[in-house]
Amino acid sequence: MAPPIPAGLLLFETQVIRITRSHLGNRSTPLPCYYINLDRSHARREHMQEMLKTIGVSAKRLAAVDGRLLDKENRPNLSERARSFWNLNGGQIGCFLSHRAFWKIVAEGPEPYAVVLEDDVNMSKGFATLLCEIDWIPEDCECIKIDTSVVDAWYANEKSLPDTDFTIARPMTDLKGTAGYIISKSAARSLLAQTDVIKAPVDVQMFCCSDPDFLGLEFLQLNPAVCIQHYLHKGDAPAPADVINSTIGYPKRARRPKLPFGWRKIWREFKRPFLKLPPALLHSYRKLHPNYVWREIDFND
């Protein structure tokens, strides 16, 4: 069952965020940090405790929802798309509910922002630096992705953070992963209000820019990232299999049935190049525009 949401809660309006000195005040409050961990994932818990100790960060453990143990009565509402196209399994549902539990903590807590990590990440020393205070976060910012999936994407309006080697920019293409992000109290409330019905995996529903059926969450990307999933970290030291291997178990998405040869298949093939034309033109425009950059987000070792 979805947690109750206060009556009259409105979805927040999207707005363009520009980083200027006027956003930076005397907000020296440290960022509360949480990490999500299944009760049965002892190796991952030890990995996180050791990693946090090494970089000098204090974090609270948030017990993850084990989707494999959910009975029918406690399973959330899934949209038809979640069932038929995404084919969500118990692990993915549990992951989504675990993030909802984090959003609930932030929404009901006293702090304006909080950060959450999944339990298979590596963190850099820059992570500890950013958590010391929140004065680098724009006051109107709702969410900042601090991890990287090591994929190329379009970013706009990149701005340097004062007195640091970090930048933040607005992603213009879909991003994956919820290994680490900072979220505001207002965004947490909005996410809770919009996810009574689960439509897709949590990272898709949060960070998909191209599909109007999803949240349309206004978020920024930190570069370089300060956390990365262990299996994506190039040249990393070996880790226990329990840390590297996924605890979710991703199912195969349902494939669109092949159309028999006929007018519908001919029409689909006829319109295919026209559907590809707008994205190609947009890609070309962004390559020429000075405010856009196509890049892979690095990890700050």
Side-chain angles (χ1 to χ4, degrees):
M1 297 291 292
I5 304 297
L9 184 62
L10 299 178
L11 306 185
F12 63 89
E13 295 181 357
T14 60
Q15 49 187 312
V16 176
I17 300 170
R18 302 185 186 280
I19 310 306
T20 64
R21 287 281 181 176
S22 64
H23 285 111
L24 303 175
N26 296 319
R27 299 181 298 153
S28 57
T29 306
L31 272 166
C33 183
Y34 297 82
Y35 70 93
I36 296 171
N37 171 251
L38 285 166
D39 290 338
R40 56 182 166 85
S41 295
H42 303 291
R44 290 188 172 212
R45 191 178 316 156
E46 293 173 1
H47 163 76
M48 290 299 294
Q49 290 171 346
E50 183 64 30
M51 182 71 63
L52 291 163
K53 181 180 178 181
T54 299
I55 64 173
V57 170
S58 175
K60 296 180 181 178
R61 175 181 175 268
L62 176 60
V65 176
D66 195 337
R68 299 190 304 182
L69 303 181
L70 290 174
D71 53 35
K72 290 183 179 180
E73 292 183 357
N74 293 320
R75 287 215 165 200
N77 295 323
L78 300 180
S79 69
E80 179 59 31
R81 186 173 184 180
R83 292 192 298 268
S84 61
F85 179 74
W86 290 103
N87 192 25
L88 295 186
N89 64 16
Q92 289 173 301
I93 294 171
C95 179
F96 204 120
L97 294 179
S98 300
H99 282 271
R100 283 192 104 249
F102 166 68
W103 302 338
K104 190 172 188 294
I105 291 173
V106 180
E108 297 177 353
E111 302 297 340
Y113 297 95
V115 60
V116 68
L117 303 167
E118 294 181 345
D119 61 1
D120 60 342
V121 300
N122 285 354
M123 291 163 276
S124 69
K125 293 180 180 178
F127 181 86
T129 303
L130 291 178
L131 258 67
C132 289
E133 53 189 30
I134 65 172
D135 63 357
W136 61 274
I137 303 176
E139 291 182 355
D140 51 357
C141 181
E142 296 290 348
C143 182
I144 302 177
K145 220 174 174 317
I146 61 172
D147 68 336
T148 176
S149 299
V150 198
V151 294
D152 291 324
W154 280 110
Y155 297 92
N157 301 322
E158 187 172 35
K159 305 291 182 181
S160 297
L161 296 180
D163 305 319
T164 74
D165 295 326
F166 293 100
T167 65
I168 49 178
R170 183 171 304 285
M172 304 303 292
T173 46
D174 301 344
L175 296 183
K176 295 181 179 179
T178 49
Y181 59 89
I182 298 167
I183 198 160
S184 71
K185 180 191 291 286
S186 60
R189 289 173 175 170
S190 297
L191 288 168
L192 285 171
Q194 295 178 77
T195 54
D196 282 338
V197 176
I198 295 177
K199 299 178 181 179
V202 63
D203 58 337
V204 176
Q205 204 155 339
M206 284 184 71
F207 302 127
C208 180
C209 308
S210 61
D211 193 325
D213 194 35
F214 296 131
L215 301 180
L217 178 66
E218 290 287 324
F219 66 99
L220 301 176
Q221 171 70 57
L222 182 73
N223 185 46
V226 293
C227 62
I228 187 172
Q229 286 181 291
H230 194 93
Y231 80 95
L232 292 172
H233 192 189
K234 299 176 182 177
D236 197 19
D242 289 344
V243 176
I244 299 174
N245 296 335
S246 172
T247 57
I248 294 178
Y250 296 97
K252 291 184 178 180
R253 283 189 288 172
R255 291 187 174 183
R256 183 186 300 177
K258 291 185 177 181
L259 292 176
F261 186 79
W263 69 268
R264 284 192 298 174
K265 187 170 184 178
I266 293 173
W267 172 244
R268 189 181 72 182
E269 296 304 317
F270 173 78
K271 68 180 181 181
R272 188 188 300 272
F274 296 97
L275 294 176
K276 291 182 178 180
L277 183 59
L281 292 175
L282 182 60
H283 188 87
S284 299
Y285 165 77
R286 286 174 175 170
K287 287 175 68 175
L288 299 173
H289 200 288
N291 287 344
Y292 292 95
V293 59
W294 175 258
R295 67 140 52 104
E296 175 185 299
I297 299 298
D298 299 321
F299 171 64
N300 180 22
D301 256 324

